[in-house]
Each structure stands twice: as structure tokens, then as C-alpha cells.
Amino acid sequence: MTAEAIKLVRQHLDQVHPAEVLDDATRADYRARIKALLVSRDAVLVAHYYTDPEIQSLAEETGGCVSDSLEMARFGKEHPAKLLIVAGVRFMGETSKILSPEKRVFMPTLEATCSLDIGCPPEEFSDFCDQHPDRTVVVYANTSAAVKARADWVVTSSIAVELIDHLDQRGEKILWAPDQHLGAYVQKQTGADVLCWDGACIVHEEFKARGVLELKKLHPDAAVLVHPESPASVVDVADVVGSTSQLIKAAAELPHQTLIVATDRGIFYKMQQLAPGKTLLEAPTAGSGATCQSCAHCPWMAMNGLENLLAVLEDENGCGQEIQVDESVRVAAMQPLNRMLEFSRSLKG
Ligand code: 13P
Ligand code: SF4
């Protein structure tokens, strides 16, 4: 996406969903009501690291989960609650529904999507696959259920290198979608034959290597942590490249006291918890003359707030924010998703 297109997306989303500002009393009241409703509705809150700290802390305090997209999928599937409240973006809610069809899945808002999902329409993607029948189709979790249904494998960034390496060793050629930067990164790490779709994340694509290096000059002892959805030039200046959970682990384990972080700043909540006392700096996204130094926040993740979370819990049918997936699509998408979960279990084993 061009810088102009990104600006327009942000402006539109800011108008439609202005940031939630609540006074202390309202905030405390909402939190108490959400906690009570989670119990009375036999529900559990599953939140991504990029959501507002308000949401992440609620998930922690109520026995829910705060994690990366892979763990969110696993947690929702294994948890006994009848109702999953997924705070994140739409593909995360869909993944939960695909893996747990017997559960109802609500999201604070179904409008929370992802530029990678938007940039990979199922029909065009299916045509692309048809043009390359000799390739194993691997899609990133950040895709619609219909795109997953067309894939041989689903993968998240936490196991992408390992999976592509595994397929390469079996002699398979890969068709990768939708994130071109993550695709280029796994290709470089594994040497596999990877043909990439040309999608991108509007948040990570904005990080600038030059800005990171300038910040590093001011903090020469800092380590640079980068999510692989960032452009190759930014990945090249990283000390650690990894998924959200891998970056959090690195923040806690590295000896460095200062960390420059190139991913959504929502992750600072968990990093600060696990690496107390360390200084966390947002990697710059802005070129010279820009009005913000770093716009490293996913506008769709930011749509998850206390107000809409409370509203979906109060309404029997989740204010219409319930995830529905067509049954034939669900069954087809479940296979590559289960392969991913099985592969990740084998890595742990
Ligand atoms: P993770 O799979 O690391 O949670 O990342 C999801 C995502 O949307 C990154 O932008
Ligand atoms: Fe999608 Fe990027 Fe937002 Fe992650 S940060 S959900 S990849 S738009």
C-alpha cells in the first residue's frame, strides 16, 4: 500500500472509530460488568498482544488468554467455555470458529480486519493457485476462511521458517500468501523455492531502516527487535527477528536494558510485564516532515474497546458481532489449520 493509501485508511478508521476515552468511574464499572458477564455467560476472553492494555489485563484477570495468533487458536479450541470472545482481528475470530464449531464466537466488532486479509481476495487467490498447480499452497493465518480453505497449510509467523524448511526438505515448491515481506524472509532463511503473493501489513510496512539506525545512534547499547512482516531493509538491521511471542521472549531474555521494537506498540504491555525496568522504544515509521514519529499501531486492533466488549456480552446474540463461517468452507479450512497445530506440536515435542 502507498503511504497515501495508508493515511486514508487511518483517517477513515479514526473517524468511524475514534479512540475510546472513558473516565475512571465508567472504566471501573465496565470492567466489573464485563467480568460478571464472562462468568454468567460461560465465556472466556481471548486477546491478542496488540489489543489495548485494558483488554489484555481483563483477559489475564479473568482466566482468559493474551497471546500470539497461534496460541489464541489453540487456547480457544481447548478451553471448555461455551462462548469465546475474541479480541483481535477478524481472521482470529474465524480461526476460533473453524476449530470450535460447537462454540459461539463473538468479537467486540467484526469490522476489525487486517490489510493482509483485505489484500488477498479468495477468488483471485484461487485463480493464482490454479496457475501454479505444482506448488504447495501455504497461507499465513492473517487470511479469510475462504483463502484458508484453498490452502494445503496455514502457518503463523512463529513457525513459518520451520514449516517452509520442512516442506523444502521434502522437495516441495511453495506458493506463499499473502505477506510478501514474511514470504521473502522465510525464503531467505530456508533457501526454499517460494513464489509470493504481493500483500503487506500497513503497520509493519511503514518501519524505516534509516530511522531505526538513527535511533540506534542515540541508544548504541539498544537491541533491535523486528517482526518479519517488516520490509527486508528493517529485518536486516535487527538483532532479533520473530513473531510477537518470540519478540516478547527476547525482550525478557536479552541482557540489553534498552530495546527498539518494530511491531505494534500494544506489545509493550506484555514486554514491560516480563522485562520490568527495561526501556522500550518504538521503532520509527515516519519519514522527515511527518507529524508522528511512529504510527506503529494497527488501526483494526484498536477497534477493540471496553464499550463494544461490554455491549456484545450484554446482548444474547452479541449485537450481531458473531462469527459465522459457511460449513463447507469451515470443513475445508479446518484441515490446513489442524496441520499447522499438529506441526507446531511436533516442533515442541
Ligand atoms: P502473530 O502471529 O505473531 O501474533 O502476529 C499476528 C499479526 O497480525 C502480526 O501483525
Ligand atoms: Fe494485520 Fe498488520 Fe494489523 Fe497484524 S498489524 S492485524 S498484519 S494489519
Side-chain angles (χ1 to χ4, degrees):
M1 255 190 188
T2 62
E4 191 52 30
I6 291 166
K7 218 167 104 195
L8 288 175
V9 169
R10 284 190 185 282
Q11 275 170 359
H12 170 72
L13 292 173
D14 285 348
Q15 274 164 16
V16 184
H17 292 273
E20 190 176 59
V21 184
L22 301 173
D23 60 60
D24 287 351
T26 310
R27 188 184 148 263
D29 174 49
Y30 282 10
R31 287 181 72 92
R33 282 157 67 191
I34 289 167
K35 285 182 181 179
L37 281 160
L38 284 170
V39 176
S40 65
R41 295 205 62 173
D42 191 11
V44 68
L45 180 57
V46 187
H48 191 266
Y49 292 128
Y50 292 167
T51 55
D52 194 286
E54 198 77 74
I55 305 288
Q56 296 187 49
S57 60
L58 256 178
E60 286 171 338
E61 289 167 24
T62 55
C65 135
V66 180
S67 68
D68 66 7
S69 57
L70 178 61
E71 187 52 31
M72 284 172 82
R74 204 166 16 218
F75 182 92
K77 183 176 155 135
E78 287 167 10
H79 196 279
K82 284 208 220 66
L83 173 61
L84 303 178
I85 309 290
V86 177
V89 292
R90 197 177 169 124
F91 77 83
M92 296 170 177
E94 284 186 349
T95 298
S96 295
K97 185 68 186 176
I98 293 165
L99 293 172
S100 308
E102 73 290 358
K103 296 176 188 170
R104 296 185 81 181
V105 180
F106 294 171
M107 297 189 69
T109 169
L110 294 182
E111 281 184 59
T113 183
C114 165
S115 62
L116 288 168
D117 187 347
I118 296 171
C120 191
E123 280 180 18
E124 280 174 44
F125 178 64
S126 189
D127 289 347
F128 185 57
C129 296
D130 289 345
Q131 287 159 25
H132 303 281
D134 55 327
R135 288 181 179 266
T136 300
V137 178
V138 182
V139 302
Y140 195 27
N142 301 38
T143 46
S144 63
V147 164
K148 289 184 177 77
R150 183 64 179 78
D152 299 305
W153 289 87
V154 174
V155 74
T156 71
S157 51
S158 59
I159 52 170
V161 171
E162 288 84 351
L163 177 66
I164 299 304
D165 195 36
H166 168 75
L167 298 177
D168 181 46
Q169 283 180 29
R170 293 200 321 203
E172 296 178 34
K173 294 198 290 178
I174 313 298
L175 186 155
W176 171 273
D179 189 62
Q180 56 181 300
H181 299 302
L182 182 56
Y185 175 70
V186 293
Q187 195 288 323
K188 200 169 166 190
Q189 293 299 307
T190 61
D193 181 339
V194 180
L195 176 68
C196 271
W197 185 262
D198 68 351
C201 160
I202 63 162
V203 180
H204 291 87
E205 196 172 42
E206 285 301 286
F207 290 116
K208 305 282 186 292
R210 186 191 287 187
V212 172
L213 291 174
E214 277 166 14
L215 192 56
K216 183 119 174 130
K217 268 192 220 148
L218 298 174
H219 303 275
D221 296 332
V224 178
L225 312 185
V226 174
H227 193 286
E229 286 170 13
S230 311
S233 56
V234 181
V235 167
D236 286 345
V237 300
D239 296 296
V240 178
V241 181
S243 69
T244 48
S245 46
Q246 289 160 349
L247 296 184
I248 291 168
K249 190 164 178 282
E253 290 176 357
L254 285 171
H256 305 72
Q257 284 307 302
T258 304
L259 305 165
I260 299 171
V261 183
T263 193
D264 183 292
R265 64 172 172 261
I267 204 170
F268 284 14
Y269 172 76
K270 197 40 106 182
M271 279 187 176
Q272 207 76 78
Q273 229 179 42
L274 298 179
K278 290 197 182 177
T279 304
L280 305 177
L281 303 172
E282 290 173 35
T285 55
S288 53
T291 49
C292 67
Q293 284 308 305
S294 179
C295 309
H297 198 32
C298 174
W300 293 291
M301 288 281 183
M303 288 178 174
N304 296 275
L306 289 182
E307 202 160 359
N308 51 12
L309 174 56
L310 176 60
V312 295
L313 274 165
E314 279 179 334
D315 183 75
E316 171 55 27
N317 292 314
C319 299
Q321 308 306 303
E322 178 169 8
I323 293 280
Q324 312 280 358
V325 180
D326 174 85
E327 183 57 11
S328 60
V329 171
R330 189 192 70 74
V331 170
M334 193 172 60
Q335 294 174 21
L337 269 169
N338 275 331
R339 262 181 220 133
M340 167 182 83
L341 293 177
E342 186 56 41
F343 180 77
S344 121
R345 258 194 299 274
S346 74
L347 286 179
K348 284 192 172 168

